[in-house]
Each structure stands twice: as structure tokens, then as C-alpha cells.
Amino acid sequence: MRKSKEEAEKTRRRIVTSSAAEFRERGIVATGLNDLMRAAGLTHGGFYRHFDSKEQLVAEATDEAQAAVIKRMKDAAGRGRTKSRSHGGLAAAVGEYLSIRHRDDPRDGCPLAAMGSELARAGAKTRETATAGFQNLVEILASEFQGIKPDRAKKRALVTTATLVGALTISRIVNDPTLSKAILREAVDSIVSA
Amino acid sequence: MRKSKEEAEKTRRRIVTSSAAEFRERGIVATGLNDLMRAAGLTHGGFYRHFDSKEQLVAEATDEAQAAVIKRMKDAAGRGRTKSRSHGGLAAAVGEYLSIRHRDDPRDGCPLAAMGSELARAGAKTRETATAGFQNLVEILASEFQGIKPDRAKKRALVTTATLVGALTISRIVNDPTLSKAILREAVDSIVSA
DNA sequence: TGTACATCAGTGAACGCGCGTTCACTGATGTAC
DNA sequence: TGTACATCAGTGAACGCGCGTTCACTGATGTAC
């Protein structure tokens, strides 16, 4: 049954990746190791060959999810910038984050929005990871604010990121589709036209 | 052992109130009926004399928590308005919501921030309640925006409420106290000086 | 108004189930000579 | 290079425990006559 080092490493990455999606879709506490291992195509017994505890997996899965969202935002901003409109990068990144697609697919989305209230109660390592991810998002947005001093841009980006996370979270809570869309649309408008 | 109708009704309210605090502090999924009944000074067996299911209690506890936060915001706005500064009501309400006190005491705070990502996965009744609570918050803020048309005020309040919830949630996730404070401060500044 | 009986709030044990974690086992991989 | 042995990825059963829910029981409250 033993697998090669290379294969074992691939298995480990597969567990982290599929767990990152499961946690974002179902929540951290609500998702058991059984669910996670099954999602990775394994049985639960092998879990501790790869991780010390569920908490360690939570931290690594959060890290991977954050990295993916950061790449997604950078890519969107890059695409927006080439359109050479003023604030094109900002508008594209914000529009991507507050898209219907992002709202309806938490598995692939921002962990701060998908598991925010649970991250506030998570272990030290996970919160450290989440903090770093948040700061990365802030930097991406700050670099898209044109014509203002860097420290003003940073402060504005702090607030903008809070708006993004809050708007996406609430758009998922709300049971009225029109209201949900309006939250996303008005948040985009407000940020881009500020 | 039977209690009078009056006493039974008091017990029921006590369960809802203490559960509202427990859910906000520990999370919905992570808090068991045993914890909830013990927090109300009872044993777990009596739970189903008062509620059909845990989900029903979650809905009622969310409702009560929302109502408390709405009152808190209204009171703060009222106090701020008497100072007769321009935007005094807005500044007071926003300052209250984004206070260190609120951040450090989720038991008494806004359920959208304390359990936001779990509310997005909650039952229909709970989401309905959360939606109504959100709309109440929006209305309170909208009524404090002076000198703009009601529908513009409503749209702006939609975004402002998203910023409040996002900023508070993130201020609780972040493990750097300076950053946490900065998020709250910059969000207040940005909203009040807009 | 007093009495007999039904109701039901709350207790504590029990239900089946899934949790996070541990362990004996398997057999292919890696290592030492 | 070939052989013997140690390692360890993954399986499946089991650990103790707490979950949400049900139930028999208790005795005070409420109701009917």
C-alpha cells in the first residue's frame, strides 16, 4: 500500500485543496474529517499520516484559499488595467470580487467571506494566515488607487476590503435575490466612483 | 415539577436570550443544546418542551440579537443627534458599531458580524430574520444621511452597512491589535467624512 | 370552594450517530549491503 | 546489480465522547365538577 514520496506529496496537496473548497462551502466546524478525506478520494484513517490535527489542515487550507483569491484579484486588476481606463484595475478587481459568480461559488472564493465568523474563533496559525491574506488584498487594492499618497491609499484600501468582505457575506445571507444583487451592485458603484 | 405558564414563558425567554449570547460567542454549529440549556440554568432534556428543533432556536435567537443591535444603533444615533452637529447621529451610530467594546464583546453584539458566514448556510427562517435585521440597520443609517434624496440615502446605507459588518468581522479575525484598531478607525473616518 | 384528575415543565437516562483521534495491519517503496 | 529488511501511505476497525432527539418519570399547576 505504501506510495512513493512524490505520490504522497500529491495526495497531501489534494487533501489541502479539496478541504479548502469543502470548508468554504460547508463551514469549518460543520465539516468532519470523514467528509474531507472522502472529498479527496481517501478513507479517514490516513489523515494523520499527513497532518497533526484538523486545526493544522484548517490553517493550510485557509492559506491556499487566500492565495487563490489573491491571484484572482491580481489577474482581474491586470486585465482591467490594460483597458487603460482610469481606475480600470480597481474596477475590474472589485467587479470580480463582488460578482454573482463569486457569490454563488464559495468553494472557489474568498475565505474571509466564506468562513469569516469562524476564522475569528480559529487557532493562532489560522488567524495569522487570514491576517496575511487580508493584508495582501489591501495591498492589491491600494496599488490601484491612483493619484493619492501611498498611506492614504492604504487606509482607503483597508476600508474598501472591509466593504468587499461585508458585502459578499451579506449578499449570501440575504434571502431576497433583488436585494442581494443590489448590495453587490451598490458596493461596486460606491467604491469605483469614490 | 410542573411550572406555571408564566414561569414557563420566562424560562423560554431565558433560553432564547442566553442562547443568542452563546451562539454569537461560540458560533452556531459549535454550540450544542447541552451548552445552551446549561447556560440557561437547565438540563438538556427539557429543551423540546419549548422548541421544535435547534434550528427554531437559532432563528429566534438571531431575531432577538438583531432586535437588540437595532435598538443599540437607534439609541446611539439619538444621542448623537442631540449634539446637533452635522451628521451627529450617523457618527454616533457608526462609532458605536465599530467600537472596541463591540469588537471585544460579540455576546452582546451584531449577529451579522458574529455569525455571518454561518447565517449564509442557515435555515430559511433564520435567513429571513437576518435579512429583516439587515434591512432595519440600513434604514437606520439611511435616515441619518442628510441632504440627499431618500433613494440615494438608501443605496449609500446599503454599502455603509456592508462596510460595518465587514470591518467588525475582520477586526475580530486579525491577530495584530494595531491593524485591528486601524480597520475600525479608518472605517469610521471614511463613512463619517464621506 | 373543595376535590379529583389531566396536563405538562423540567429531569435524567437512553437512542443512534458522527466526531477527532489512535491503532494494527497491508504491501509497495526506499535503503543498506 | 541483487537481495534482505525497514519504512510508511493508506485501510478499516475501534476509542471515548458529545451531538440532536426521544422518552419514562416527577410533581406542581391548571381544569372540571
Side-chain angles (χ1 to χ4, degrees):
Chain A
M1 292 286 204
R2 189 183 184 183
K3 297 293 171 65
S4 71
K5 277 186 183 175
E6 197 184 329
E7 251 189 301
E9 185 52 34
K10 263 172 64 181
T11 300
R12 191 187 203 284
R13 277 198 297 269
R14 186 154 39 87
I15 297 170
V16 173
T17 301
S18 63
S19 297
E22 292 293 311
F23 283 139
R24 281 176 284 182
E25 182 171 15
R26 314 214 184 271
I28 296 172
V29 179
T31 309
L33 294 188
N34 229 316
D35 304 322
L36 296 170
M37 292 299 275
R38 200 181 309 120
L42 297 165
T43 56
H44 68 283
F47 180 82
Y48 291 89
R49 291 282 162 203
H50 296 289
F51 307 96
D52 290 339
S53 62
K54 182 184 180 183
E55 168 55 28
Q56 192 197 338
L57 174 60
V58 170
E60 293 193 29
T62 302
D63 199 33
E64 193 185 281
Q66 288 279 20
V69 167
I70 285 154
K71 179 175 178 343
R72 184 172 172 175
M73 294 290 273
K74 274 186 181 159
D75 288 353
R79 271 183 271 115
R81 248 181 273 119
T82 62
K83 291 182 182 161
S84 73
R85 264 195 263 106
S86 125
H87 295 108
L90 178 69
V94 168
E96 175 65 25
Y97 193 99
L98 295 177
S99 64
I100 302 289
R101 193 181 341 117
H102 190 184
R103 182 196 67 188
D104 294 342
D105 188 15
R107 289 179 68 86
D108 251 358
C110 179
L112 293 173
M115 349 186 274
S117 53
E118 291 192 288
L119 289 174
R121 299 177 198 103
K125 196 79 193 52
T126 303
R127 289 178 63 204
E128 205 174 296
T129 282
T131 303
F134 169 71
Q135 284 174 310
N136 276 325
L137 286 178
V138 171
E139 275 162 40
I140 291 169
L141 291 176
S143 73
E144 299 296 334
F145 287 123
Q146 300 162 353
I148 54 176
K149 285 203 208 124
D151 74 310
R152 289 298 320 150
K154 171 86 186 292
K155 286 177 179 177
R156 195 194 284 188
L158 225 50
V159 180
T160 301
T161 308
T163 305
L164 293 184
V165 173
L168 186 58
T169 301
I170 295 170
S171 79
R172 285 172 176 158
I173 293 173
V174 145
N175 65 354
D176 171 354
T178 308
L179 178 60
S180 177
K181 269 192 184 175
I183 292 162
L184 298 177
R185 182 186 353 106
E186 296 306 327
V188 172
D189 273 15
S190 148
I191 293 165
V192 172
S193 71
Chain B
M1 291 286 204
R2 187 182 185 183
K3 296 294 170 66
S4 72
K5 276 184 181 173
E6 197 184 330
E7 251 189 300
E9 186 51 35
K10 263 172 65 181
T11 300
R12 190 187 204 285
R13 276 198 297 268
R14 185 156 38 88
I15 296 170
V16 172
T17 301
S18 64
S19 296
E22 292 293 311
F23 283 140
R24 280 175 285 182
E25 182 171 15
R26 313 215 185 272
I28 295 172
V29 179
T31 309
L33 293 188
N34 230 317
D35 304 320
L36 295 170
M37 292 298 275
R38 200 182 307 120
L42 297 164
T43 55
H44 68 283
F47 179 82
Y48 291 89
R49 290 283 163 204
H50 296 289
F51 307 97
D52 290 339
S53 63
K54 183 185 180 183
E55 169 55 27
Q56 192 196 340
L57 175 59
V58 170
E60 292 194 30
T62 302
D63 199 35
E64 193 185 282
Q66 288 280 19
V69 167
I70 285 154
K71 179 176 178 343
R72 184 172 173 176
M73 293 290 272
K74 274 187 181 160
D75 288 353
R79 269 183 271 114
R81 248 180 273 118
T82 63
K83 289 180 183 164
S84 73
R85 263 194 265 107
S86 127
H87 294 110
L90 178 69
V94 168
E96 174 66 25
Y97 192 100
L98 295 177
S99 64
I100 302 289
R101 194 182 338 119
H102 190 185
R103 182 197 65 188
D104 293 342
D105 188 15
R107 290 179 68 86
D108 252 358
C110 179
L112 294 171
M115 350 188 273
S117 54
E118 291 191 288
L119 288 175
R121 298 178 199 102
K125 196 78 194 52
T126 302
R127 290 178 63 204
E128 205 174 298
T129 283
T131 303
F134 169 72
Q135 284 175 308
N136 276 324
L137 286 178
V138 170
E139 274 162 41
I140 291 169
L141 291 176
S143 73
E144 299 296 332
F145 287 123
Q146 299 161 354
I148 54 175
K149 284 203 208 125
D151 73 310
R152 289 298 320 150
K154 170 84 186 293
K155 286 177 179 176
R156 195 194 282 188
L158 226 48
V159 180
T160 302
T161 307
T163 305
L164 294 184
V165 173
L168 186 59
T169 301
I170 295 169
S171 79
R172 286 172 176 158
I173 294 173
V174 144
N175 65 352
D176 171 354
T178 308
L179 177 60
S180 178
K181 269 192 185 174
I183 293 162
L184 298 177
R185 184 184 356 103
E186 296 306 327
V188 172
D189 273 15
S190 146
I191 293 166
V192 171
S193 70

